[in-house]
């Protein structure tokens, strides 16, 4: 505020002096102008002294010299204009910093200060720092969630824009994990606090934000070094003009236009604007130094689990003895798995419920840590667990499932289901890719990142499949934390290197890298503390976005310096040649300062490398179409089962006919709705020439295969027609399964940006 007051005082004095000069009171005018200029000179002198005590030469010494020389040469009007330039520059700096740091201040302003706690005596208002784990809190409409915790009501609607940068509210269901900092955009709900306010997600973000706001960017230090050289150049030009011409006014004119405001203001403003821009996108950058280093990155190392993958096992495939069938095998296994909280058990139960299977209540459940489960389901003794667990129980492997032993090596792990002393089913579990991971890798490539490497502590075979899917340059598996540090140091010797990770074992490597990028939304506190950049939204594609923001901010900072100092240099030459008097020079320098700072503020806007498609409107049917994918994935399994069942007898004909009806009533209408509403809107948002063409072409292929199966079923239904149609029917079923699986994967990736926004 004092900067604005100083500007108002100088402006008032300048106008008062001008009024006196117009009335013919020249002496009084010069006195007024000198009076308003000298306090500004004292203010600048104080800043120069502080800089000298801090071990650096204050670049404002040029402005100080210009004011004092102008007063000494009786150029009071020029002195007042220089004072206006200095005061205006400081006021403009305050305004620009306010614009650049608005996102950071918004984060701090949203910090919850109180909470409503439900206790034995009813509802009580408590300070946020009094929240303890286990407290039951009531979050009312418009209030901010004060601590991390678990939703205890059926539904809650939250605005997480301050955490994620996404504008649309999200729906949470009973038991969902809630993060502090989100705002209640719906009705009141209850939650159970998992942490105190100081240990919450939002408190950690605020600590990182304060550190970012207080950090002095290295580019600003570099600007100070350049400014020192600029001071010497100014002294040479001003002194040379005076000595060669004997005209002290020329020296004054050089000093007036030489004030390096673009150098000392524009660079830090551009970097702080970049930090604010990143904060809006859910990326907390710990200061301008981290932002500048991020802009120079040429190699990115990734951890695997929790970074490139969600870190949760997912059911990849199911095999069962023919007498049982895959669906029944999954139902039995999931029924038993209800008795365990192990991630594999949770994954089996989630898939079974998603498929609408009716689970039975298990009894006499016994869980053996590190092994598996034993229990009774519908009167049948079952065991579910790893291969080692089955061997310890003396369970024999059924010959039909023997091939799964080799699959477990490549896919990740296999959970075996046994009954009657023999295995009856196997469930291949794998930690799949994050849906946004392929796009994140492609965007990093497009930004010129030349080397992408996975550095994982996981098994080599499991890591290799992820690396191959993402087309990474190298995959280094089974690495200890010390080995990860060695990899970082080896890569750093070749190019500036960033490390992306989320776990405690990644923290040393994050700290060792030129830039450590922590997946802070779901990662550990150790990783967030060690990282220079923290992603507070659980999306890997924000890594590429952060790099794009950093590069653009650094480019704009140097552009602002070049623009401002280039124009100032030309003005200095004109002043030294006597073509620019002090008064006009002061006005010109003010315009140069404004232009350089406004150019630096363009870092607040997204650049071409950062632009993302907007969210598709709700009436495009995105959520409905993606929800239908679960049913289509079940259709994939039934297509494979039907293909496997095709043999010399027509026993499989009724099942294939039922599949045909489902494809005609569900699959093809699904595709038509996508092409009618969803694809046109997605294409409009994505831009380019027909970005959905490949998906539409797949639709055409799927329709052709469905039509071929329908035609073959007509032939197969005739007398003696089964033998004629069966070979081609088998091939068509397998071809449709393969094409549909590919299409669903490609479509989910193409629409991932929209689905994550929604």
């Amino acid at each position: 505020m004092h900067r604005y007051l100083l500007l108002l005082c100088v402006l008032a004095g300048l106008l008062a002096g001008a009024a006196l000069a117009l009335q013919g009171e020249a002496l009084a005018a010069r006195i007024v102008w000198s009076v308003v200029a000298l306090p500004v000179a004292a203010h600048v002198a104080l800043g120069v002294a502080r800089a000298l005590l801090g071990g650096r030469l204050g670049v404002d010494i040029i402005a100080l010299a210009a004011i004092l020389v102008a007063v000494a040469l009786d150029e009071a009007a020029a002195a007042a204009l220089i004072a206006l330039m200095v005061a205006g520059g400081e006021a403009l700096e305050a305004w620009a910093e306010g614009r650049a740091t608005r996102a950071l201040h918004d984060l701090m302003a949203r910090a919850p200060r109180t909470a409503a706690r439900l206790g034995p005596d009813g509802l009580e208002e408590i300070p946020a720092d009094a929240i303890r784990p286990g407290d039951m809190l009531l979050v009312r409409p418009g209030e901010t969630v004060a601590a991390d915790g678990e939703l205890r009501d059926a539904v809650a609607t939250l605005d997480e824009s301050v955490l994620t940068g996404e504008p649309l509210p999200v729906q949470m269901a009973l038991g969902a994990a809630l993060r502090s900092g989100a705002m209640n955009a719906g009705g009141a709900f209850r939650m159970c606090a998992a942490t105190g306010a100081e240990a919450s997600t939002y408190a950690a973000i605020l600590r990182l934000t304060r550190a970012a706001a207080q950090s002095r960017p290295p580019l600003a230090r570099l600007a100070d070094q350049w400014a020192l050289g600029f001071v010497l150049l100014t002294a040479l030009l001003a002194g040379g003009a005076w000595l060669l011409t004997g005209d002290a006014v020329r020296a004054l004119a050089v000093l007036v236009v030489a004030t390096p405001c673009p150098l000392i203001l524009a660079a830090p403003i551009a970097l702080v604007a970049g930090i604010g821009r990143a904060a809006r996108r859910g990326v907390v950058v710990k200061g301008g130094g981290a932002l500048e280093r991020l802009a120079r990155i040429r190699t990115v190392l990734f951890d695997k689990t929790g970074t490139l993958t969600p870190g949760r096992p997912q059911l990849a495939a199911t095999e069962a003895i023919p007498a049982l069938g895959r669906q029944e095998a999954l139902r039995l296994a999931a029924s038993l798995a209800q008795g365990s909280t192990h991630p594999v058990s949770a994954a089996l139960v989630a898939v079974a419920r998603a498929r609408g299977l009716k689970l039975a209540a298990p009894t006499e459940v016994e869980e053996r840590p590190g092994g598996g489960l034993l229990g009774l389901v519908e009167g049948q003794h079952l065991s579910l667990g790893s291969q080692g667990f089955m061997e310890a129980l003396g369970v024999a492997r059924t010959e039909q499932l023997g091939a799964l032993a080799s699959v477990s090596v490549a896919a990740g792990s296999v959970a075996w289901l046994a009954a009657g002393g023999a295995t009856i089913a196997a469930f291949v579990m794998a930690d799949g890719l994050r849906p946004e991971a392929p796009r994140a890798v492609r965007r990093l490539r497009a930004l010129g990142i030349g080397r992408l490497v996975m550095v994982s502590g996981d098994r080599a075979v499991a890591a290799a499949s992820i690396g191959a899917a993402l087309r990474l340059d190298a995959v280094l598996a089974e690495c200890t934390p010390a080995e990860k540090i060695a990899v970082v140091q080896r890569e750093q010797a070749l190019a500036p290197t960033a490390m992306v990770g989320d776990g405690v074992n990644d923290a040393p490597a994050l700290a060792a890298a030129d830039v450590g990028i922590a997946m802070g939304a779901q990662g550990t506190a150790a990783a967030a503390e060690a990282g220079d950049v923290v992603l507070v939204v659980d999306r890997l594609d924000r890594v590429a976005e952060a790099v794009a923001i950093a590069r653009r901010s650094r480019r704009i900072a140097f552009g602002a310096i070049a623009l401002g100092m280039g124009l100032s240099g030309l003005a200095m030459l004109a002043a030294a040649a006597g073509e620019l008097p002090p008064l006009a020079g002061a006005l010109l320098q003010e315009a140069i300062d404004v232009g350089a700072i406004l150019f630096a503020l363009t870092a607040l806007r997204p650049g071409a490398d950062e632009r993302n498609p907007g969210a598709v409107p709700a009436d495009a049917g995105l959520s409905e179409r993606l929800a239908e994918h679960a049913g289509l994935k079940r259709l994939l399994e039934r297509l494979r089962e039907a293909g496997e069942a095709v043999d010399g007898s027509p026993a499989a004909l009724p099942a294939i006919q039922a599949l045909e009806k489902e494809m005609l009533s569900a699959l093809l209408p699904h595709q038509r709705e996508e092409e009618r509403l969803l694809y046109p809107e997605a294409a409009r948002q994505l831009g380019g020439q027909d970005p959905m063409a490949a998906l539409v072409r797949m639709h055409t292929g799927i329709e052709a295969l469905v039509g071929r199966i329908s035609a073959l079923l007509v032939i197969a239904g005739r007398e003696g027609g089964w033998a004629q149609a069966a070979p081609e029917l088998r091939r068509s079923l397998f071809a449709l399964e393969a094409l549909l699986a590919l299409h669903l994967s490609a479509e989910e990736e193409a629409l991932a940006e929209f689905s994550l926004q929604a």
Side-chain angles (χ1 to χ4, degrees):
M1 182 59 68
H2 71 279
R3 296 179 180 180
Y4 297 113
L5 291 175
L6 183 64
L7 173 62
L8 288 174
C9 290
V10 174
L11 185 60
L14 187 65
L15 293 175
L20 288 170
L22 289 174
Q23 293 174 7
E25 302 289 339
L27 178 60
R30 289 199 300 272
I31 292 173
V32 171
W33 285 331
S34 297
V35 166
V36 298
L38 289 174
V40 175
H43 171 73
V44 174
L46 189 60
V48 170
R50 289 198 193 100
L52 288 172
L53 290 174
R56 4 179 228 107
L57 176 64
V59 293
D60 284 339
I61 194 169
I62 298 175
L64 175 61
I67 294 174
L68 295 178
V69 171
V71 171
L73 294 178
D74 202 23
E75 292 279 351
L81 273 176
I82 298 167
L84 180 66
M85 178 182 67
V86 171
E90 292 197 1
L92 187 59
E93 177 188 12
W95 173 79
E97 284 181 351
R99 284 289 312 276
T101 60
R102 184 176 299 165
L104 305 183
H105 291 315
D106 287 347
L107 284 174
M108 294 181 183
R110 287 277 294 269
R113 293 173 175 78
T114 62
R117 182 168 61 190
L118 293 164
D121 300 326
L123 192 67
E124 60 175 329
E125 291 286 335
I126 60 171
D129 56 12
I131 299 172
R132 297 293 178 266
D135 283 351
M136 187 67 69
L137 306 177
L138 179 69
V139 183
R140 292 162 291 206
E143 289 186 340
T144 300
V145 177
D148 297 346
E150 181 180 301
L151 179 62
R152 290 298 175 87
D153 279 323
V155 67
T157 303
L158 295 179
D159 174 4
E160 293 189 313
S161 58
V162 73
L163 300 174
T164 66
E166 302 300 347
L168 299 179
V170 294
Q171 294 282 343
M172 298 290 188
L174 176 67
L178 306 181
R179 290 187 292 166
S180 60
M183 188 182 75
N184 184 5
F189 62 83
R190 294 171 302 149
M191 62 171 288
C192 180
T195 66
E198 285 303 310
S200 69
T201 298
Y202 201 69
I205 293 172
L206 289 180
R207 287 193 293 272
L208 297 174
T209 301
R210 291 190 187 103
Q214 294 167 3
S215 173
R216 191 161 185 265
L219 192 60
R221 289 195 289 270
L222 178 63
D224 288 344
Q225 295 171 13
W226 288 358
L228 179 60
F230 193 74
V231 169
L232 296 176
L233 176 63
T234 301
L236 287 174
L237 272 175
W242 192 356
L243 288 174
L244 290 175
T245 65
D247 186 358
V249 175
R250 289 196 185 190
L252 173 60
V254 172
L255 291 175
V256 168
V257 297
T259 306
C261 286
L263 190 60
I264 61 179
L265 299 182
I269 285 172
L271 292 184
V272 174
I275 292 172
R277 169 77 188 142
R280 287 194 183 96
R281 298 299 297 160
V283 180
V284 175
V285 183
K286 298 181 183 178
L291 193 77
E292 191 186 357
R293 293 195 304 276
L294 184 62
R296 296 197 299 264
I297 290 302
R298 290 296 178 270
T299 298
V300 178
L301 310 179
F302 298 96
D303 174 47
K304 171 183 166 286
T305 306
T307 301
L308 294 174
T309 69
R312 298 180 298 274
Q314 298 173 337
L315 181 62
T318 302
E319 294 294 340
I321 59 175
L324 183 64
R326 293 186 180 91
Q327 290 292 89
E328 180 62 13
L330 176 60
R331 189 186 73 83
L332 291 175
S335 296
L336 179 59
Q338 293 176 103
S340 170
T341 58
H342 190 278
V344 170
S345 296
L348 290 173
V349 172
V351 171
R353 285 177 175 163
R355 295 183 181 182
L357 301 180
K358 187 175 181 180
L359 304 184
T363 57
E364 301 179 18
V365 177
E366 178 188 353
E367 183 170 10
R368 298 185 182 177
L373 288 170
L374 298 168
L376 200 63
V377 176
E378 296 177 342
Q380 187 176 13
H381 287 281
L382 300 176
S383 54
L384 177 69
S386 64
Q387 182 176 334
F389 178 64
M390 294 298 167
E391 290 173 353
L393 293 177
V395 172
R397 185 180 301 148
T398 305
E399 185 177 347
Q400 295 131 313
L401 301 176
L404 265 294
S406 58
V407 172
S408 64
V409 177
S413 64
V414 172
W416 299 86
L417 180 67
T423 55
I424 58 174
F427 306 94
V428 180
M429 310 301 297
D431 189 10
L433 284 172
R434 286 177 175 269
E436 76 277 12
R439 174 177 277 107
V441 168
R442 289 196 298 271
R443 289 190 69 180
L444 286 170
R445 296 279 193 202
L447 288 169
I449 302 298
R451 185 165 167 79
L452 300 172
V453 179
M454 182 197 299
V455 186
S456 174
D458 205 348
R459 295 174 301 111
V461 175
S465 62
I466 298 296
L470 292 174
R471 299 297 189 262
L472 301 180
D473 297 301
V475 175
L476 306 175
E478 302 179 19
C479 293
T480 64
E483 289 169 337
K484 288 186 177 184
I485 292 176
V487 172
V488 168
Q489 292 172 341
R490 188 164 63 247
E491 295 291 342
Q492 280 176 318
L494 302 174
T497 299
M499 173 73 193
V500 188
D502 72 310
V504 173
N505 63 330
D506 298 319
L510 292 174
D514 294 304
V515 179
I517 303 175
M519 303 288 290
Q522 301 295 333
T524 63
E529 292 296 331
D532 302 291
V533 177
V534 181
L535 309 183
V536 297
V537 54
D538 194 30
R539 285 176 53 173
L540 187 65
D541 53 356
R542 294 296 163 87
V543 173
E545 200 167 338
V547 171
I549 290 171
R551 289 188 177 176
R552 185 167 185 269
S553 300
R554 187 171 185 266
R555 187 167 60 248
I556 288 173
F558 279 107
I561 289 173
L563 173 68
M565 300 315 296
L567 292 175
S568 293
L570 293 174
M572 288 167 63
L573 292 174
E579 300 296 329
L580 190 64
L583 199 59
L587 293 172
L588 177 61
Q589 183 59 41
E590 187 70 19
I592 292 172
D593 292 349
V594 171
I597 290 174
L598 291 178
F599 181 79
L601 282 173
T602 60
L604 286 169
R605 298 201 308 266
D609 291 338
E610 304 168 45
R611 291 194 179 98
N612 294 297
V616 298
D619 57 10
L622 173 63
S623 57
E624 293 86 346
R625 301 293 82 78
L626 290 179
E628 290 167 359
H629 277 205
L632 296 180
K633 289 175 181 177
R634 291 196 294 272
L635 178 64
L636 285 174
E637 289 193 4
R638 294 174 61 196
L639 285 168
R640 179 156 57 100
E641 290 175 349
E644 292 169 349
V646 173
D647 54 21
S649 71
L653 185 58
I656 300 173
Q657 289 171 333
L659 268 178
E660 180 203 19
K661 290 181 181 178
E662 183 175 346
M663 289 186 287
L664 294 174
S665 63
L667 174 60
L668 298 188
H670 167 87
Q671 295 188 162
R672 285 193 291 270
E673 283 300 297
E674 286 180 328
E675 292 183 27
R676 186 175 70 87
L677 295 173
L678 180 56
Y679 282 10
E681 184 60 36
R684 187 179 68 82
Q685 295 286 354
L686 290 170
Q689 292 192 2
D690 202 4
M692 312 304 287
L695 296 179
V696 175
R697 182 67 185 86
M698 289 185 189
H699 278 182
T700 304
I702 289 169
E703 290 174 5
L705 283 169
V706 172
R708 181 186 300 176
I709 290 170
S710 297
L712 289 169
L713 286 175
V714 172
I715 297 172
R718 298 170 183 165
E719 186 176 354
W722 177 257
Q724 179 184 355
E728 184 60 30
L729 190 57
R730 180 183 177 90
R731 283 191 293 270
S732 298
L733 289 166
F734 285 141
L736 180 57
E737 181 211 1
L739 180 56
L740 182 57
L742 176 63
H743 172 70
L744 292 176
S745 298
E747 186 173 73
E748 288 174 356
E749 183 178 332
L751 299 174
E753 183 72 32
F754 304 114
S755 63
L756 288 166
Q757 288 181 13

